[in-house]
Amino acid sequence: MKILIVGLGNPILSDDAIGLHVVRKINKYIQSSPLPKEHQIDIIEESANSLELVEKFLGYDKVVIVDSLKTNKLAVGEIAKLTPKSFEKANTRNVSNPHDVDFYSAIKVLKEIFGKDITGDITIYGIEVRNIHEFGEKLSPELIEKIDIYAKLIMEDIKKSVLK
Amino acid sequence: MGSKSETTKLQKELKMIEISPITRLEGEAKISIFLDDEGNVDDAYFQVIELRGFERFCVGRPVEELPRIVTRICGVCSWAHHMAGSKTIDEIYDVYPEGAARKIRELGYHAHIIHSHLAHFYALAGPDIFLGPDADPVMRNIFGLYQTFKDITKEAIITRIYAQKIQEMIGGTAVHPNCGVPGGVSAPLTKEKKAKIEEYSKAILEFTKKSVALFQDTIEKRKDLSELILGDVYYHKTYYMGLVDDKNKLQLYDGDVRVVSPDGKEVARFKGRDYLEYIAEHVEPWSYLKFPYLKFVGWKGLVDGENSGVYRVNTLARFNVSDGFTTPLAQEAYDALYEYIGEKPAHNTLAFNWARIIEALYASERIVELISDPEIMDKNVRPEVKEIVNHRGVGVVEAPRGTLYHDYIVNDEGLITKLNLVVSTVQNNPGMCMSIKKAAQKLIKNGEISEGILNRVEMAFRAYDPCLACATHSMIGRMPMEVTIYNSENKVVKTLRRTL
């Protein structure tokens, strides 16, 4: 199986970078505890918008995204497991920027165009964050202390789904 | 890791929550419409939360790092910031790209313009243009457009990918380029890249030609669209600003800043570094965004006309300040636009969309020109740089959304002590506020507010292709736009979370 793990976020926008930190940690775990060699894992860090992001899924069997989440309903540091379907009604069809289509529509339209080359197996891990309005390279303390746990949890989840 | 007990321990330590679907994510941009006693629009405001601390983040950092840092302001406009930042450090080191270096920068930048303009034209404005503003909202989006016009939508997506690949080959990465160095670029073009870029450029040009023809054909056939473009709802007589060359031809990478009055007279022409002599910023207590205006006219509020310092940037503004293009096909399309509109300057906000696809055609012709030029293969693209020459540098480019200024001040060690960025969306803030208010006032009557009417109000805003809070790439789909309608007692009568 060809797996893509994407850390999504802006490295200089405080807690927005949490996804990048987590995938770096996942990368270390994979080095020390690799999946069986019939599985190929690629890990990338991205700040791309929906269409550009989804275009990167081409050719993968499974995609995992780790990103920050700001619902103000979860406690800072809580992690949510989502699928693209989660976004269907989440915010009508809005996006992180008016100059973009929303994530759900981007997947839907690229799947229509590229067929099975865009996988249906997409999981998003969203970590509730505090500060995404201020430029800076520091994460909130309650996120820093959990990076290791996020990485382990996500890897366990990936292994469970791949090795089942 | 991996044992069952450890996993259980981890799960206890941190519960993984499954929520589907999400019902609400934090919103940061909103339009508030206030009705009077009769249910007509008294006032309308557009507001957005601005990110904080970018200047503080940059102070003390080596200036040569800035072109790479500024790409993180925004995943959409990263190339524009990278080019403005690169031009600013050219001034600081007093070394300017020539020959292949300049051409490579322009090549990457024009590919970015194509990539950005196609996204807006097809994915964002496209549903309004081709499906109509009153089409079923379920279909009035990129997916609906694909369902209705499969071939052209597919081709648009694939052409964007070609433009992105060119950006990637030049910039190192497509989204956050790192090729700009003082006076040049980090690497020359290889033969392999040239061959690929030639192939992509030709395909891109064919598609943008087709897109311009499609738009012209659509307005010929669709009276409703023609009325929207030419009508009064989306019409504001303002000043315009943009870059031109010495023959007043439209430029995107470099040139003089030219400003024309609402009746088309040149009222200012200056070098980017002198922008503070011409632009000032007004502050309103209800908005995080500032309101730039022309200093020599003055701030008279959110009103249009010759006595108001409000000016607009972006595609149609560039058309209005220039005498056309240096390339033949774009020039032909430029002439057709003005013939159709019937006046120059054109003040029709919805024609920003038309100008956008013509500009994509220009950028396509330009990349074909650039990649066909043998000089672009010259290996001498990175001049030797010794020390700081100027303690202040200003770089200006035309971002897809309008004129963009970067202004850095450094100390003797080349560390940033101050910086100021004047971005295009902020310069269009007065224009967007005026456009939203006018459209709301013209379209909402007697308290009747349908989805289609609100979409037409938003079309006024969408035509500017604004880029809001653009560095925030927190959770995909995190920034919904809210439209709230208040009655004459300031009570909310309707709230919609809207497609933009």
Side-chain angles (χ1 to χ4, degrees):
Chain A
M1 182 182 267
K2 216 175 153 199
I3 304 164
L4 177 68
I5 301 178
V6 187
L8 204 58
N10 186 334
I12 61 167
L13 197 66
S14 304
D15 290 348
D16 194 55
I18 182 65
L20 311 179
H21 289 272
V22 172
V23 300
R24 284 171 204 158
K25 188 62 88 173
I26 289 175
N27 199 16
K28 283 189 181 167
Y29 287 138
I30 289 174
Q31 303 298 326
S32 60
S33 172
L35 289 177
K37 58 183 173 198
E38 65 266 28
H39 302 293
Q40 177 196 323
I41 295 191
D42 293 330
I43 297 181
I44 59 170
E45 296 181 16
E46 277 297 337
S47 308
N49 294 288
S50 298
L51 282 172
E52 284 91 335
L53 177 66
V54 178
E55 282 158 18
K56 297 205 178 288
F57 302 171
L58 276 166
Y60 286 94
D61 304 305
K62 179 180 181 63
V63 173
V64 170
I65 298 169
V66 189
D67 196 2
S68 60
L69 178 68
K70 185 94 170 142
T71 62
N72 291 335
K73 286 186 175 173
L74 303 179
V76 171
E78 281 190 308
I79 183 168
K81 185 177 178 181
L82 310 157
T83 66
K85 191 87 177 153
S86 311
F87 295 92
E88 186 181 7
K89 292 173 185 165
N91 43 21
T92 62
R93 298 192 177 278
N94 286 289
V95 290
S96 58
N97 199 300
H99 181 90
D100 195 14
V101 301
D102 66 286
F103 182 56
Y104 184 73
S105 294
I107 289 184
K108 224 165 115 180
V109 77
L110 289 179
K111 213 162 168 41
E112 282 281 334
I113 291 171
F114 295 108
K116 61 179 171 36
D117 287 339
I118 296 282
T119 178
D121 185 355
I122 300 169
T123 309
I124 302 129
Y125 298 91
I127 297 164
E128 184 79 11
V129 295
R130 184 190 307 286
N131 180 11
I132 49 167
H133 294 124
E134 202 161 3
F135 285 96
E137 290 172 295
K138 283 186 184 163
L139 297 174
S140 295
E142 48 279 65
L143 300 181
I144 295 173
E145 65 190 27
K146 293 195 184 87
I147 290 173
D148 204 36
I149 302 171
Y150 299 136
K152 283 178 182 170
L153 258 185
I154 292 167
M155 268 318 294
E156 285 302 320
D157 224 31
I158 292 171
K159 279 186 178 174
K160 233 187 292 171
S161 68
V162 169
L163 304 175
K164 67 186 172 189
Chain B
M1 67 178 283
S3 73
K4 195 178 171 187
S5 61
E6 191 173 358
T7 306
T8 311
K9 191 176 145 218
L10 284 171
Q11 282 169 344
K12 273 186 189 162
E13 211 171 330
L14 185 73
K15 190 182 165 200
M16 182 115 68
I17 300 153
E18 302 216 10
I19 43 175
S20 182
I22 295 174
T23 51
R24 188 182 164 86
L25 293 161
E26 186 177 86
E28 289 164 356
K30 63 177 181 178
I31 292 172
S32 305
I33 298 172
F34 292 86
L35 306 180
D36 60 18
D37 288 340
E38 281 74 46
N40 298 322
V41 174
D42 183 37
D43 223 329
Y45 296 95
F46 162 66
Q47 294 164 299
V48 60
I49 288 177
E50 204 174 23
L51 302 175
R52 299 182 300 267
F54 189 71
E55 182 173 351
R56 195 171 63 237
F57 181 84
C58 293
V59 166
R61 293 180 189 268
V63 68
E64 63 270 21
E65 285 183 11
L66 261 288
R68 291 187 297 280
I69 292 173
V70 292
T71 64
R72 299 293 174 172
I73 295 171
C74 171
V76 170
C77 311
S78 52
W79 265 88
H81 286 297
H82 186 62
M83 286 295 111
S86 300
K87 288 179 70 180
T88 309
I89 61 168
D90 293 344
E91 281 206 0
I92 300 268
Y93 288 97
D94 200 28
V95 53
Y96 302 91
E98 292 173 358
R102 159 98 182 216
K103 289 185 168 77
I104 290 170
R105 277 195 194 179
E106 279 199 55
L107 179 61
Y109 192 51
H110 284 74
H112 169 67
I113 296 281
I114 295 160
H115 186 257
S116 179
H117 280 359
L118 288 183
H120 186 273
F121 186 76
Y122 281 100
L124 304 164
D128 290 328
I129 295 168
F130 299 114
L131 303 176
D134 297 315
D136 180 352
V138 174
M139 290 297 283
R140 207 180 52 228
N141 51 53
I142 180 74
F143 188 70
L145 192 70
Y146 176 73
Q147 292 296 320
T148 317
F149 301 102
K150 279 204 160 104
D151 292 344
I152 194 90
T153 312
K154 182 176 178 178
E155 226 181 313
I157 299 251
I158 289 169
T159 307
R160 280 183 75 251
I161 293 175
Y162 292 158
Q164 188 169 347
K165 284 181 187 297
I166 296 176
Q167 291 176 79
E168 203 167 291
M169 283 188 269
I170 305 284
T173 67
V175 180
H176 298 291
N178 51 34
C179 57
V181 296
V185 290
S186 53
L189 268 188
T190 62
K191 277 183 190 165
E192 294 73 25
K193 282 183 180 174
K194 182 179 192 289
K196 285 310 271 184
I197 293 171
E198 273 174 339
E199 180 192 332
Y200 292 144
S201 302
K202 283 175 190 158
I204 290 169
L205 178 56
E206 285 311 307
F207 182 71
T208 52
K209 269 165 40 180
K210 193 193 289 186
S211 298
V212 169
L214 176 69
F215 185 87
Q216 288 179 346
D217 188 47
T218 305
I219 51 169
E220 289 298 326
K221 288 178 182 156
R222 289 258 313 281
K223 204 175 164 218
D224 61 323
L225 186 60
S226 170
E227 282 170 0
L228 280 177
I229 293 171
L230 298 176
D232 185 47
V233 174
Y234 305 100
Y235 187 90
H236 278 291
K237 283 192 166 185
T238 62
Y239 287 82
Y240 297 96
M241 180 186 285
L243 290 180
V244 293
D245 67 12
D246 55 1
K247 295 188 177 75
N248 283 347
K249 294 291 185 186
L250 187 152
Q251 291 294 304
L252 298 169
Y253 171 78
D254 197 27
D256 286 345
V257 181
R258 187 170 192 239
V259 182
V260 299
S261 63
D263 59 1
K265 289 195 192 89
E266 180 181 296
V267 289
R269 189 184 185 109
F270 57 92
K271 299 291 176 195
R273 73 178 70 89
D274 298 325
Y275 76 100
L276 288 172
E277 291 173 29
Y278 296 88
I279 301 171
E281 291 177 319
H282 173 78
V283 175
E284 287 283 350
W286 50 268
S287 175
Y288 286 100
L289 289 190
K290 290 175 181 165
F291 294 80
Y293 63 95
L294 296 170
K295 251 184 182 174
F296 55 89
V297 185
W299 178 256
K300 304 288 174 0
L302 291 167
V303 290
D304 57 8
E306 203 162 352
N307 296 323
S308 167
V310 170
Y311 67 97
R312 294 191 281 179
V313 296
N314 204 307
T315 52
L316 190 65
R318 292 192 276 261
F319 277 46
N320 285 337
V321 301
S322 72
D323 292 337
F325 290 96
T326 55
T327 58
L329 297 175
Q331 180 63 45
E332 199 181 304
Y334 175 95
D335 293 338
L337 179 145
Y338 282 109
E339 194 183 329
Y340 186 87
I341 300 275
E343 64 175 346
K344 189 181 175 193
H347 301 293
N348 318 67
T349 307
L350 291 189
F352 277 76
N353 296 322
W354 188 357
R356 191 164 287 122
I357 196 63
I358 295 172
E359 221 173 55
L361 172 61
Y362 161 68
S364 312
E365 290 182 279
R366 188 75 187 118
I367 59 172
V368 170
E369 269 179 7
L370 287 161
I371 198 64
S372 310
D373 186 335
E375 192 186 25
I376 204 164
M377 296 307 289
D378 187 355
K379 302 289 178 209
N380 184 21
V381 294
R382 188 170 188 165
E384 193 183 339
V385 173
K386 288 182 180 160
E387 56 194 21
I388 300 289
V389 178
N390 299 308
H391 286 82
R392 179 178 178 233
V394 176
V396 55
V397 296
E398 283 297 326
R401 282 145 211 91
T403 319
L404 168 67
Y405 299 89
H406 278 214
D407 184 352
Y408 310 157
I409 296 176
V410 298
N411 62 17
D412 289 341
E413 284 77 47
L415 304 177
I416 295 282
T417 58
K418 196 174 178 202
L419 90 162
N420 186 34
L421 311 179
V422 184
V423 303
S424 39
T425 294
V426 176
Q427 292 176 83
N428 272 336
N429 186 31
M432 287 193 291
C433 288
M434 285 161 44
S435 295
I436 289 166
K437 184 175 173 181
K438 185 171 184 180
Q441 284 180 326
K442 294 266 177 191
L443 295 165
I444 299 174
K445 296 289 176 196
N446 306 318
E448 284 179 29
I449 311 149
S450 68
E451 198 281 337
I453 284 177
L454 281 181
N455 186 48
R456 285 165 187 253
V457 173
E458 287 171 7
M459 281 165 66
F461 163 84
R462 202 153 42 224
Y464 293 90
D465 190 14
C467 188
L468 309 173
C470 45
T472 310
H473 287 281
S474 199
M475 199 60 173
I476 310 149
R478 194 183 57 79
M479 194 175 129
M481 178 84 180
E482 254 179 28
V483 181
T484 310
I485 319 282
Y486 298 85
N487 66 14
S488 58
E489 291 165 350
N490 277 354
K491 286 187 180 154
V492 175
V493 291
K494 197 166 192 171
T495 299
L496 289 175
R497 297 167 75 71
R498 309 278 305 140
T499 304
L500 283 178

